[in-house]
Amino acid sequence: MNLTELKHKIIPVILSIAVLYFLLPFYLLAQNINFSASCDRTVVTLGESITLTVTVSGDVAKVPQPVLPELKDFNVYSSGRNQSFSFINGKVSSSINYTYTMIPVKPGKFAISPIKLQYKGSTLQTDTIFVEVVKTDQQSQVQPGVPQKQRAIVPSLQEEKDIFATVSVSKRKTYVGEQIIFILRFYQGIQLLSAPQYTPPDFSGFWTEKIREDQAYRNIEGRQYLVYEIKYALFPIASGEYTIPATSFSCQIEDFFSRPFSFGGKRKVVQTNPVSITVVLIPKQDVPKSFTGGVGSFNITSKVDKYTINQNEPVILYVEVCGTGNFKGIEDPIINITGDIKIYEPNSWIKSEDNVNEFRGSKTFEIMLIPETVGEFIIPPVEFSYFDPSVQKYITKSTDPITIKVNPAKSPDKPQQGILIREEIQTTGKDIRFIKTNFFPKIEKPPLYNNIAYLLFHLLPVICFFILLRIKTYKERLSKDIGYARARSAPSKLKKGLRRCEQLKDSPKEFYSQLFKSITNYIGDKFNIPTPGLTKDRIIESLRARGADDSVIKILLYLLERCELIQFGMSSFSIEDMVQDLDKAKEALRYLLKK
Amino acid sequence: MLLLTLILASFNLYGDVVMAESLYKEKRYDKAMEIYLHSIDQNIRDPFIFYNLGNCYFKTNKIGKSVLYYKRAKRLLPGDSDINFNLDFARSQRIDVLNISETPKFFNYIINLPDRFPLNVLNIISSILFFLIFILLSLSLFYKNKVLKNVNIGVIILFICFLLLFSVNLKNKNVKEGVLISVVEAVRSGPREDYALLFTLHEGAEFRILEEDDGWSKIILQTGLTGWLKKEFLEKV
């Protein structure tokens, strides 16, 4: 064992002990803890390393270091520990990973016996882990599934074997779309001042997926190296000859002797070889109809989000292609659904699995279907064909058919009668307006049109109007029609005349003259005859013409004659006669007035 | 004396209203609802009480009742924007959507114009115009004036318009409208359980009541659909 090797073994151990010593006081209140162990691989080539991770987690505070069992068949180095804290519901929980690097010393099958942890008087222990160590030349038999991947190109011979870089590809001749594993390795046999730096090579002509990046110890030609490994999956896009240019790693090495007072060290650059890859087209004959560009090894499954739906509601069909290959190159699957179903453009996404040796994952297509008729409809098997380069053949796989039941829409009269169903209540964050505040409630008022008084009130203007109309027509007649005016004024004039007669009882002559005037005036006014030319005969004539009673005519005739006689002093009279005559006149005229 | 008791009653009610308001603010909608319903029992017909009650029902997820009370409020106070907004909002929460044909806005406005005014307001305006007509007629008896005559013709035309509005409003008011208050109900072809089911209606559906017969009502939807519905599931506006 030379000095450098010893340094490599001792320094991490001392360092980890120191770190543990300083961090231990943090674990104060321990309660429930989980304790487990795992290895990054269980099959390992002699000379490669295994990383053993021991995890202690829980609401731990003070946790003792786990005790590793005695492992005779491995060289064990502690390669550090890391810790994470989390606060959940006010509780602190932490998880500590102890990482150990184990390098097998001989081939064979080994068991890592349980790792023990003393905690609060009880002993926790992990499961036994089985590890198989194979010789380098046995590797292909052990891992038949990936036969060519580890066929490394012979490391480019460097003058100094302290640091060097290699590149390996799983295949140099591939089909378009076939997965190639491209591995960059940086071997470090001495202590470096800084981690190596590199820029990824130019992968033009390929779809590239970085699979993983890790580091491990390896034994090459009896010398211990720390190996950085960067793995890419490459998928050629088109046929042709491609060269992936050399990749440079740069690092700083200790160069104490040439530059003793410099802390930077000496920059050193190592290069890989360029790699050329020949890409050929996949066979053109016997291409299945359902081939959508997949190259690799896949499986297909399908499912729907619900099996019973209502008419015009969507159902989502998920078609998942999983396996290994060029997911990016897989186009949408062909779905042959017939009938009254609306099919929408598929939506797709790719998921990849972590920590695998090749690019592995799944591509999911989400297809929305809306059946437009009631009943059952069947989603027929979805066919998917791909080219499998390992057997150099097209392979077709298909899903199971799915039956979906379509119920009629919720409202049976909907399509014909125009009542729509809202699928769900709109939740737009809107709300009704707030209540009315600060008002005096009103007591119910009956409608006005039911109020009789109110309705009768409307008669008032009508009545007023007709009264006014009457007044107006009367006035108009008075001003225009003399006969009417005379007839209207006759009774009042007569009354006035007769009243004067009564006052003139002392002078009989005047009395009779007044009586005569009153009677003639009245009849003249009444029948619109000019008074001056009114004779006895004309009066009687006009009275007769208007159908007056004979007895009345006689009385009037007698009265008029008597008036004439007395006026001219041709007849005797007494006071009684005067009163009698006046009464007679009144009576006769009252009769005429009525008429 | 009567006036005094009325004023006192109003103050009493005001206290109730304030209490209901504070209950509503505390989201105790059931209690607020009780107070409003009590005041309605006392023959109060206030649009705002109906409106607030509609809000209470809406908040307790009784869309049917809330539509009913908003409609009642709208009958008393047709032009209030809050009432119209909440009525439309409550309508939008119903399951059934009546596919009313789109009418032009202006045409809609004209159709709804009579309902925009309270009935009594239309009544009073018509009455005033009626009086004005006769006053102007009377004046024109005694004063011959061309302006007066033209004004009177204008007033008569205005009066006829208002009379028309009034009568349309009165006709609309006397239309028997109903709202479905149960969650979902079957509408049948005749007034008995054993008649065929024509369609189902959901809470808050509005319709006109055409006739009534022994616990059943014949209804017509705005789409023209008719059928018989059990009386107990609907409430008249």
Side-chain angles (χ1 to χ4, degrees), chain A residues 12 16 24 31 45 95 100 145 201 207-208 210 263 294 340 349 411-412 436 479 490 547 559 581 592:
Chain A
S16 57
L24 269 174
Q31 273 155 33
T45 319
S95 150
Y100 301 91
W207 276 319
T208 316
K210 194 171 180 179
F263 290 100
D340 289 336
W349 59 86
S411 178
K436 302 272 185 184
S479 62
L559 278 170
D581 288 342
L592 278 179

Side-chain angles (χ1 to χ4, degrees), chain A residues 413 417-422 425-426 430-444 446-449 454 457-458 461-462 465 468-469 472, chain B residues 13-14 21 24 44-46 48 51-52 55 58-59 80-82 85-86 89 92-93 95 97 99 119-120 123-124 127 130-131 137-138 141 170 199 225:
Chain A
D413 52 344
Q417 308 289 2
I419 293 171
L420 289 171
I421 293 293
R422 291 243 161 130
I425 287 168
Q426 285 181 338
K430 284 207 293 183
D431 194 10
I432 50 167
R433 293 195 186 161
F434 198 64
I435 53 166
K436 302 272 185 184
T437 54
N438 257 326
F439 62 93
F440 274 98
K442 285 168 222 128
I443 286 142
E444 186 186 15
L448 278 174
Y449 65 86
Y454 178 78
F457 186 53
H458 285 78
V462 183
F465 174 75
L468 287 169
L469 188 71
K472 200 203 162 205
Chain B
L13 280 169
Y14 180 71
E21 267 169 40
Y24 185 93
I44 304 300
R45 296 285 178 275
D46 188 279
F48 289 172
Y51 168 84
N52 289 358
N55 272 14
F58 186 87
K59 289 286 183 188
D80 190 88
S81 78
D82 286 347
F85 179 89
N86 281 9
F89 194 81
S92 74
Q93 307 292 301
I95 292 169
V97 176
N99 222 4
L119 189 64
N120 278 356
N123 200 346
I124 287 168
S127 296
F130 183 78
F131 272 76
L137 274 177
S138 306
L141 282 180
L170 189 63
F199 52 91
L225 227 55

Side-chain angles (χ1 to χ4, degrees), chain A residues 8-70:
Chain A
H8 260 111
K9 280 175 187 173
I10 292 165
I11 288 173
V13 177
I14 292 169
L15 270 174
S16 57
I17 289 167
V19 167
L20 271 178
Y21 180 78
F22 282 108
L23 284 175
L24 269 174
F26 280 104
Y27 312 128
L28 292 168
L29 294 154
Q31 273 155 33
N32 297 315
I33 57 169
N34 290 318
F35 184 49
S36 64
S38 65
C39 281
D40 65 335
R41 48 184 140 180
T42 53
V43 179
V44 68
T45 319
L46 189 64
E48 284 186 328
S49 64
I50 301 172
T51 307
L52 173 71
T53 310
V54 181
T55 308
V56 186
S57 65
D59 45 353
V60 288
K62 193 175 182 177
V63 173
Q65 201 176 355
V67 182
L68 286 191
E70 210 174 307

